Amino acid sequence: MPAVTPIEIRDEDLALITYDANGLVPAIVQEHGTGEILMMAWMNETTLRRTLEEGRTVFWSRSRQEEWRKGDTSGDRQFVREAHFDCDGDTLLFVVEQEGNGACHTGEFSCFYRAFGPDAGTS
Amino acid sequence: MPAVTPIEIRDEDLALITYDANGLVPAIVQEHGTGEILMMAWMNETTLRRTLEEGRTVFWSRSRQEEWRKGDTSGDRQFVREAHFDCDGDTLLFVVEQEGNGACHTGEFSCFYRAFGPDAGTS
């Protein structure tokens, strides 16, 4: 199992994050080392705090309306190596070590396996 | 100026994209070659079509409620090299050649220049 590296929660950091009308902020997940974009999901303040505390990504599932600790069901956990926020504080970026088969529920390693246009194809 | 490479618009691709209650979909922008995440912004169906047609990123500004062709004011244009969408069709990913000083209005190359925690610092 990859090392777990919690990130210290600082009030001055959290104060810079803004949430949408549903109390959510989008979180991009990028693979450590390769730079591949794995997925995008949503966090509320509680799951953002849990992600930093536990060093694993924890999201808010909009469809199920519940916390979703990535990999608890699938085994494909994400261990946080870097945690960034953008200039407006309204988007998060986590650089992770991806465990198991990848990030996508389809079995693909990345959720962005499809591309626009005929050359790339819609697999 | 980098080459402009339009991407063919196919109805079967666009039919897979879902928009939120405001008619918007988040678009992640990643630098070609380095894999660095530059920014995240929003598109509606019109600006998604323009992005594919023109081979340059065109967003919808939520704050100004208007189309925003990246770089028209700043000169820091983004030329699309790859255009992906995720498994749920509710997030886009554009791989671009970034022109000029970078993607962020602060003058930083990437909007994600800040990190959580004391080591990385909040510059």
Side-chain angles (χ1 to χ4, degrees):
Chain A
M1 172 175 147
V4 174
T5 313
I7 292 173
E8 185 186 326
I9 295 176
R10 304 193 309 168
D11 289 341
E12 62 263 45
D13 291 343
L14 289 180
L16 294 169
I17 307 306
T18 60
Y19 301 88
D20 69 11
N22 297 311
L24 301 176
V25 59
I28 302 165
V29 183
Q30 181 177 36
E31 191 185 32
H32 182 70
T34 67
E36 185 170 3
I37 311 296
L38 299 174
M39 58 183 287
M40 203 280 278
W42 297 79
M43 293 185 181
N44 57 21
E45 185 171 343
T46 301
T47 62
L48 169 56
R49 284 178 176 273
R50 285 193 65 194
T51 296
L52 297 172
E53 278 170 2
E54 301 185 11
R56 277 181 55 190
T57 53
V58 185
F59 303 104
W60 179 258
S61 168
R62 297 179 302 171
S63 56
R64 297 193 306 272
Q65 288 287 302
E66 64 180 19
E67 281 192 27
W68 158 42
R69 198 162 69 144
K70 179 75 180 162
D72 274 356
T73 304
S74 65
D76 303 330
R77 298 176 292 186
Q78 295 175 336
F79 295 88
V80 177
R81 293 290 164 261
E82 299 172 29
H84 297 266
F85 52 98
D86 77 348
C87 52
D88 297 322
D90 62 5
T91 306
L92 309 178
L93 168 62
F94 293 93
V95 180
V96 307
E97 284 189 48
Q98 174 68 57
E99 194 181 48
N101 296 317
C104 191
H105 73 286
T106 63
E108 300 281 346
F109 191 74
S110 161
C111 293
F112 294 94
Y113 59 92
R114 295 180 295 187
F116 290 97
D119 293 334
T122 301
S123 65
Chain B
M1 172 175 147
V4 174
T5 312
I7 293 172
E8 185 186 325
I9 296 176
R10 304 193 309 168
D11 289 341
E12 61 263 45
D13 291 343
L14 288 180
L16 294 169
I17 307 305
T18 60
Y19 301 87
D20 69 12
N22 298 311
L24 301 176
V25 59
I28 302 166
V29 183
Q30 181 177 35
E31 191 184 32
H32 181 71
T34 67
E36 183 171 3
I37 310 297
L38 299 174
M39 60 183 286
M40 202 280 277
W42 298 79
M43 293 184 181
N44 56 22
E45 185 172 342
T46 302
T47 62
L48 169 56
R49 283 178 176 273
R50 287 193 63 194
T51 296
L52 297 172
E53 278 169 2
E54 301 185 11
R56 278 182 53 191
T57 54
V58 185
F59 304 104
W60 179 259
S61 168
R62 297 179 302 171
S63 56
R64 298 193 306 272
Q65 288 288 302
E66 64 180 18
E67 280 192 29
W68 157 43
R69 197 162 70 143
K70 179 74 180 163
D72 274 355
T73 304
S74 65
D76 303 330
R77 298 176 293 186
Q78 295 175 336
F79 296 87
V80 177
R81 293 290 165 263
E82 299 172 28
H84 298 266
F85 51 97
D86 77 348
C87 51
D88 297 323
D90 62 5
T91 307
L92 310 178
L93 168 61
F94 294 92
V95 180
V96 306
E97 284 189 47
Q98 174 68 56
E99 195 182 48
N101 296 316
C104 190
H105 73 286
T106 63
E108 300 280 346
F109 192 74
S110 162
C111 294
F112 294 94
Y113 59 92
R114 294 180 294 188
F116 290 96
D119 294 335
T122 302
S123 63

